[in-house]
Amino acid sequence: MSNERPINVAIIGGGCAGVTAAFELTRPEHQGRYRVTVYQLGWRLGGKGASGRGSADRIQEHGLHLWMGFYENAFRVMRECYAELKRDPATCRIADWRDAFTPDPFNGLADWSPGQVWSSWTARLPPFEGLPGDPGNEVPRWTIAQYMARSLELVRALVMTVQEPASEAASGAQRAPAGVGTPEALLESMSSLLKYGQFATLAVVIEALRLMELALGTLRRYPENLLLRFHDAVATALRERFGKLVETDDRLRRLWEIIDMMLAVIRGGLRFRLMTDPRGFDAIDDYDCREWLRLNGASEGTINGAFVRALYDLTFAYEDGDVRRPRVAAGQGLRGAFRAFFAYRGAFFWKMRSGMGDVVFAPFYEVLKRRGARFEFFHRLENVRLADSSRLAEGERPYVEALEFDVQAEVVGGGEYQPLIDVRGLPCWPAVPDYRQLVEGERLEREGWRFESHWDRRKARSRTLRVGRDFDLAILAVGGGAIPYVCKELLERDARWRTMVQQVKTVPTQALQIWMSASMSELGWNEPPINISGFVEPFDTWADMSHLASEESWPWPPASIAYFCSVLPDVPEEERVRPAFPEEQHERVRRNCVHFLREDIVHLWPQALGASGDFRWDVLLDPHEQPGVDGSGQGEARFASQYWTANVNPTDRYTLTLPGSLKFRISPLDNTYDNLTVAGDWTDCGFNQGCVEAAVMSGRLAAHAISGAPRLEEIVGFDHP
């Protein structure tokens, strides 16, 4: 290392983006060039991924957290973190990343059938080659044409599962075109089928799909008009064959919804010339995904069906939280769906074997501490102060001259707060701070200071960090919903930032966790543990998390654990400023939970209701209850022992991907301000959707903006079409 003074980097926010940026900047390869300090609201890292241990070491999450098999960047840094941590498996049960994450292939959709009943549409998705985050750069960079060809392969495979009379299959096989060799022969075969209209049997339709697949997958140049006419002829033939069948056969209806959606995607790709447009999927981001599918021939049944509905539910894609206003940018919607279904490795979903705080943020904290990073907890950012523009020299870029914080609490003795607790050998985050470490901690606990609440403005003192003295560079890694509150000067002086805040909207979410003495089979769910979406609000997504029972410390373990989440309808901004607002929203979610358990869960768990027709409240477990001793009371009163949350804090709100909004996002690579970059899933990071992968990509980009590392080509998916 040289004798130069290290560059002091202040990272504000310890969620996925912030800790990723810290991880990249403190790599040994930098030889100590960057001295990193993370400033964090409250007592724990995690942001929207935070979790804590409550009574009986219950895991209490911000929401339902699953990692997807295409999260290449997130898994890569996570695997490197565990490798560097070198935990001893003899003393720590989660020592390696494979201890922390488990493949989760069984997934489903809640399907509202024409018979006016809910049913489960389940599937075990096959493992794909490799594991997410495998070292090296062997992850393929898919082109849009390759995605379209893969979509046709899927359509062809689904059509092949449909039975047809043997006589039709035989006659169709006789008329199917012969194999093709040269590009000219391929196009000639397609032209011949169009000319003679020979799409009478499924065998011919299947062969036609193969020809289209070959054309998109192998030809560098092809006549788009021919492909579009050929596609429309094939789609018409399929609609004629499926039209009557789907009315009475749920299996065929579900198959048809996927086929119809993929045909619309392929038609849209041809009509909008996505394969040759240099903007790639971004070219259609001004359209809503449903709107774009409808423009390209998808039926109303498909557009409102379980598959499309689940794509919206999983990304909380409802403007203002209103389920009557589903909106997501079509380009990013397609990019996300294609990567999710065609680019996953190992498994479609990966479940964590403990809370996300324990599995993700505790290991990052430990590694970063070993590397010399500092953490300043209980620091609430109040203002990003810009240098007076009148003092800037000619040609000098504007810069941040100070970061103004409220210090929420002081640590006894002035040292660093020690945030982790030990749960049978596993470092974990508690659900509440350790008041014993805080000055006047007993008083703070007695008075109920809520360190993570935007509405609790109490503080121990103010603190101002000054450029050149306390920091050189800053990474703003707070949640997107917090920007209007901490960047008032930026918004006042910079029209781009004002427009971003106006256009890149956020919504609150709600989550529920219940622990039960009855197993899932006793509740009427007779399939394997599952993740299911597309269900009815107020909780459209459910995951069976019963595997976490052994991670907690109950006197007797729960037989089942269920997590639910959904968007929470927003309220006017003027109502959010009232001090009582968070408690009102917490009570609102409680009412939603009770209604959901009484009225809706029976469609998934047929045995969840008792003889009276009410939910079986007696199956809910209370961590404070002893065997044979009444704890939570009877009936609905027992629900008070469960965990639910209204995620209404500005930092907790989920960032939407609204049509027409993505062009207003600001990139971590933006250098408008000399010493400031941004990080978070609200930034322009190459995958502009609220998720762990987007946040990690953004954190890596912020580190690149400062240090030049990692190289852009190492950030998987950043250059995705």
Side-chain angles (χ1 to χ4, degrees), residues 66-70 102-109 121-129 150 154 158 258 307 311 314 337-350 527-532:
L66 301 172
W67 283 33
M68 301 194 75
F70 75 90
T102 183
D104 195 26
F106 194 64
N107 298 281
L109 303 172
W121 176 7
T122 61
R124 188 175 296 277
L125 299 177
F128 282 179
E129 183 179 356
R150 187 68 181 272
L154 173 62
L158 292 175
I258 297 177
F307 196 88
L311 295 179
L314 288 170
F338 277 135
R339 288 189 64 185
F341 284 95
F342 294 151
Y344 72 84
R345 296 206 280 180
F348 186 78
F349 277 124
W350 292 74
E527 298 198 64
I530 197 168
N531 315 303
I532 199 165

Side-chain angles (χ1 to χ4, degrees), residues 652-705:
D652 292 337
R653 291 170 64 96
Y654 182 88
T655 302
L656 295 175
T657 305
L658 294 176
S661 71
L662 300 188
K663 56 181 169 284
F664 298 109
R665 292 186 176 215
I666 291 173
S667 169
L669 303 180
D670 182 90
N671 63 357
T672 301
Y673 297 93
D674 187 60
N675 63 342
L676 175 70
T677 186
V678 294
D681 62 10
W682 50 274
T683 66
D684 181 11
C685 64
F687 193 82
N688 294 333
Q689 205 147 34
C691 64
V692 169
E693 179 72 350
V696 171
M697 290 173 68
S698 185
R700 301 190 85 193
L701 286 168
H704 173 88

Side-chain angles (χ1 to χ4, degrees), residues 315-362:
T315 55
F316 305 102
Y318 300 98
E319 189 167 8
D320 297 327
D322 185 346
V323 296
R324 297 166 300 181
R325 300 174 67 195
R327 299 189 72 212
V328 65
Q332 176 57 36
L334 290 186
R335 179 184 291 118
F338 277 135
R339 288 189 64 185
F341 284 95
F342 294 151
Y344 72 84
R345 296 206 280 180
F348 186 78
F349 277 124
W350 292 74
K351 274 182 178 170
M352 286 170 275
R353 288 181 166 165
S354 188
M356 185 160 169
D358 311 334
V359 162
V360 175
F361 293 102

Side-chain angles (χ1 to χ4, degrees), residues 490-505:
L490 266 170
L491 299 184
E492 184 178 334
R493 288 170 52 173
D494 193 324
R496 283 195 319 141
W497 279 69
R498 286 197 303 275
T499 304
M500 178 189 70
V501 167
Q502 293 164 0
Q503 299 293 332
V504 182
K505 295 184 178 181

Side-chain angles (χ1 to χ4, degrees), residues 616-638:
R616 292 166 54 188
W617 303 106
D618 61 298
V619 304
L620 299 180
L621 292 177
D622 181 348
H624 300 104
E625 200 170 64
Q626 298 300 317
V629 179
D630 287 342
S632 301
Q634 302 301 313
E636 181 189 327
R638 292 190 66 81

Side-chain angles (χ1 to χ4, degrees), residues 505-523:
K505 295 184 178 181
T506 62
V507 289
T509 61
Q510 55 188 329
L512 164 66
Q513 297 172 220
I514 55 177
W515 294 259
M516 295 172 286
S517 59
S519 67
M520 283 298 165
S521 61
E522 290 171 327
L523 293 168

